[in-house]
């Protein structure tokens, strides 16, 4: 509500390392691990009693610690583990379709933007500063983050404006970098490392 957190309906399948896309009223949760790696996709829609999760189409490649961008009906899933995946899939609100792969496979990366204008950055192992932009068809490697790290977070409206923050190098990080469509610039750090 802009002020506090409100408990809503829980995911149907609890898991870690999953990715998400969308808004607080129409969201996706996909991939992850419950001890075994899953391709499951769940769709959240608000409605009666604060909303509910329903089963969506499964990813083609089960994985966890993947990057994501987009909305509930137009999402992008990329990278992930186990290993360092380079697969990219596009969700149309019903099914996932394999599209052109990342140039550099990695896990624990962050993403921002839409399914036609996305940014993939960071990841590992080892810690990576790699940044790639997505134009709806292909990934292009562009200027790297200033500081290589994995398990970072990020957001942005498209592939020309994003924020990367937190992450892990050999300890948790407070680093924050801003993307202007060409370069990353370090800005004010998070208040606490995580």
């Amino acid at each position: 509500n802009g002020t506090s957190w409100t408990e809503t309906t829980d995911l149907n399948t609890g898991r870690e390392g999953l990715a998400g896309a969308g808004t607080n009223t129409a969201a996706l949760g996909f991939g992850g691990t419950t001890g075994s790696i899953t391709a499951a996709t769940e769709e959240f829609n608000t409605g009666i009693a604060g909303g509910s999760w329903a089963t969506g189409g499964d990813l083609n490649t089960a994985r966890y610690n993947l990057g994501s961008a987009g909305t509930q009906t137009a999402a992008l899933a990329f990278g992930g583990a186990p290993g360092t995946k380079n697969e990219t899939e596009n969700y149309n609100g019903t099914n996932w379709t394999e599209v052109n792969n990342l140039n550099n496979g990695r896990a624990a990366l962050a993403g921002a933007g839409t399914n036609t204008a996305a940014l993939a950055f960071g990841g590992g192992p080892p810690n990576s500063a790699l940044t790639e932009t997505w134009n709806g068809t292909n990934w292009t490697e562009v200027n790297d983050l200033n500081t290589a790290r994995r398990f970072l977070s990020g957001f942005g409206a498209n592939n020309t404006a994003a924020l990367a923050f937190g992450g892990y190098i050999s300890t948790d990080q407070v680093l924050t970098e801003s993307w202007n469509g060409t370069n990353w610039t370090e800005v004010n750090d998070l208040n606490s490392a995580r």
Side-chain angles (χ1 to χ4, degrees), residues 77-102:
F78 44 88
T84 52
K85 303 282 187 208
N86 65 354
E87 286 88 353
T88 300
E89 298 183 43
N90 192 355
Y91 192 67
N92 64 8
T94 305
N95 299 301
W96 290 97
T97 303
E98 175 80 25
V99 292
N100 288 326
N101 292 336
L102 284 165

Side-chain angles (χ1 to χ4, degrees), residues 64-133:
Y64 60 95
N65 292 343
L66 61 161
S68 62
T71 66
Q72 184 188 54
T73 57
L76 203 63
F78 44 88
T84 52
K85 303 282 187 208
N86 65 354
E87 286 88 353
T88 300
E89 298 183 43
N90 192 355
Y91 192 67
N92 64 8
T94 305
N95 299 301
W96 290 97
T97 303
E98 175 80 25
V99 292
N100 288 326
N101 292 336
L102 284 165
N103 293 300
N104 298 281
R106 53 203 190 274
L109 68 166
T114 69
N115 74 325
T116 58
L119 197 64
F121 45 94
N127 293 323
S128 173
L130 291 171
T131 300
E132 298 184 43
T133 61

Side-chain angles (χ1 to χ4, degrees), residues 25 33 39 48 94 100 128 148 168 174 181:
T25 59
T33 180
I48 317 171
T94 305
N100 288 326
S128 173
Y168 180 84
V174 295

Side-chain angles (χ1 to χ4, degrees), residues 6-85:
T6 302
E7 178 74 23
T8 61
T9 305
D10 294 336
L11 281 165
N12 294 312
T13 304
R15 54 201 190 265
E16 63 183 72
L18 71 162
T23 68
N24 67 324
T25 59
L28 286 178
F30 45 92
T33 180
T34 62
S36 60
I37 303 162
T38 182
T41 297
E42 295 185 44
E43 300 176 351
F44 179 80
N45 290 295
T46 55
I48 317 171
S52 64
W53 289 95
T55 302
D58 287 352
L59 290 162
N60 292 295
T61 302
R63 55 198 192 267
Y64 60 95
N65 292 343
L66 61 161
S68 62
T71 66
Q72 184 188 54
T73 57
L76 203 63
F78 44 88
T84 52
K85 303 282 187 208

